[in-house]
Amino acid sequence: MKLSKINHYKSISSTNKKALELAKKGIHDRIIIADTQVKGKGRFNRTWYSSKGGAYFSILIKIEKIEHLKYLTFAAALSVLKTIEKITKLKPKIKWPNDVYINDKKVCGILTESTTNNNLTYAIIGIGINVNQKRFPKSIKNIATSMFKETNKEFNIKKIIIKTKNNFLKYYNLIKNNNYKKIIDETKKHSLLIEKNIKIKTLNKTHIGKVIDIDKNCRLIIKKYDNKIIKIIEGDIISYN
Ligand code: BTN
């Protein structure tokens, strides 16, 4: 797989939405790119701020095993991290499960979705990287950053997307070879949260405690203050320090 087919749009509702539509038609192995999105999707039904100057793209692949799905977000986060590291010399971090951070601010968000059609499973890995934005709306100003804001330099968005795609192909190969350990180990190595105290909201509860690990099933392992260990598969980090 080379992922060399690209659908490029000036403006679109959401590249993930477009990819889902294509998957429904049996189309896969391509990248959907948009210069801006009218309704960029984030996790938990949030909107993703998608002004011109960011990299907004979705990687659409057909997956061989359902088991592979859960590693794709980490693979994408590592791919973005390596891209940013290489071209800026900064040291980004992965904030479990789907964000890339620089200096405690979010530079990238990832939304992985899946759909089935004719017994085939398609994965859509949606990636939003803040590249050349000079400012953000008030509501996210304190939590968001861009590569420009961190370096005072502008970057070629297309190059960032291609580099990230190529990195992703390498990590995806590891997943295809069932080498999940390497993905988890690398994610842990670059983790923002390990050893930090966090407050996390899950579907039915808010927990506080210290992050001690990420396990082989991508779960965040937290030691609560009563020494109980909990394993979280999905949650929203409210704060960390
Ligand atoms: C998050 O942090 O909540 C995930 C944000 C994911 C945003 C990207 S931008 C490209 C792709 N298309 C979308 O509509 N969302 C993802």
Side-chain angles (χ1 to χ4, degrees):
M1 183 167 51
K2 293 218 297 277
L3 284 176
S4 47
K5 290 191 195 119
I6 294 177
N7 288 22
H8 190 154
Y9 302 89
K10 276 210 156 80
S11 175
I12 196 178
S13 164
S14 146
T15 58
N16 267 36
K17 184 165 177 254
K18 181 55 124 190
L20 280 163
E21 288 165 14
L22 294 172
K24 283 285 170 211
K25 295 184 190 157
I27 295 169
H28 55 87
D29 291 353
R30 68 178 62 209
I31 305 189
I32 295 85
I33 304 178
D35 296 341
T36 59
Q37 297 181 115
V38 179
K39 231 177 148 189
K41 285 200 275 183
R43 283 169 87 219
F44 307 114
N45 268 332
R46 293 179 188 135
T47 51
W48 180 255
Y49 176 70
S50 307
S51 68
K52 211 166 177 318
Y56 312 109
F57 59 110
S58 300
I59 298 173
L60 167 58
I61 53 176
K62 176 164 70 64
I63 56 164
E64 293 161 10
K65 275 196 204 166
I66 301 288
E67 195 191 11
H68 292 167
L69 266 178
K70 65 169 172 283
Y71 302 99
L72 296 174
T73 301
F74 283 3
L78 284 166
S79 307
V80 172
L81 179 141
K82 294 283 166 179
T83 300
I84 297 179
E85 201 172 59
K86 181 105 193 198
I87 63 177
T88 65
K89 309 282 177 248
L90 293 168
K91 291 268 170 243
K93 298 250 175 224
I94 295 176
K95 178 163 167 264
W96 180 95
N98 69 320
D99 297 340
V100 180
Y101 268 52
I102 302 177
N103 292 327
D104 286 312
K105 287 188 174 174
K106 181 158 165 170
V107 71
C108 162
I110 296 160
L111 177 67
T112 301
E113 302 186 272
S114 64
T115 184
T116 55
N117 175 21
N118 280 335
N119 279 330
L120 301 172
T121 303
Y122 298 85
I124 288 114
I125 303 109
I127 303 174
I129 311 173
N130 298 328
V131 181
N132 293 326
Q133 288 100 326
K134 313 233 159 18
R135 59 185 72 84
F136 291 99
K138 236 191 178 148
S139 56
I140 56 169
K141 200 173 149 230
N142 295 327
I143 50 170
T145 192
S146 65
M147 292 168 66
F148 175 85
K149 274 172 132 326
E150 298 297 322
T151 59
N152 243 333
K153 286 192 195 119
E154 290 209 17
F155 298 89
N156 181 314
I157 292 171
K158 189 81 181 267
K159 265 195 197 151
I160 288 173
I161 295 175
I162 299 301
K163 219 172 182 25
T164 303
K165 183 253 311 188
N166 289 335
N167 289 339
F168 179 81
L169 283 173
K170 285 184 209 146
Y171 286 110
Y172 186 53
N173 256 327
L174 292 175
I175 296 177
K176 281 203 284 195
N177 292 322
N178 304 326
N179 191 353
Y180 312 132
K181 186 169 184 300
K182 183 124 173 63
I183 304 270
I184 301 288
D185 285 351
E186 270 206 51
T187 304
K188 276 160 59 166
K189 185 172 141 198
H190 298 285
S191 163
L192 174 70
L193 297 179
I194 288 182
E195 295 298 317
K196 296 250 165 79
N197 295 308
I198 65 159
K199 185 170 179 186
I200 182 168
K201 193 167 157 267
T202 61
L203 207 55
N204 43 27
K205 237 178 162 179
T206 299
H207 301 278
I208 52 171
K210 188 174 183 174
V211 176
I212 52 170
D213 202 5
I214 292 168
D215 78 359
K216 63 179 190 339
N217 291 311
C218 306
R219 291 177 300 190
L220 196 67
I221 311 297
I222 299 171
K223 188 174 187 179
K224 301 216 292 179
Y225 296 135
D226 59 8
N227 280 336
K228 266 202 195 113
I229 306 281
I230 53 169
K231 300 174 176 184
I232 302 206
I233 189 73
E234 188 171 86
D236 198 18
I237 313 286
I238 297 170
S239 60
Y240 67 89
N241 60 56

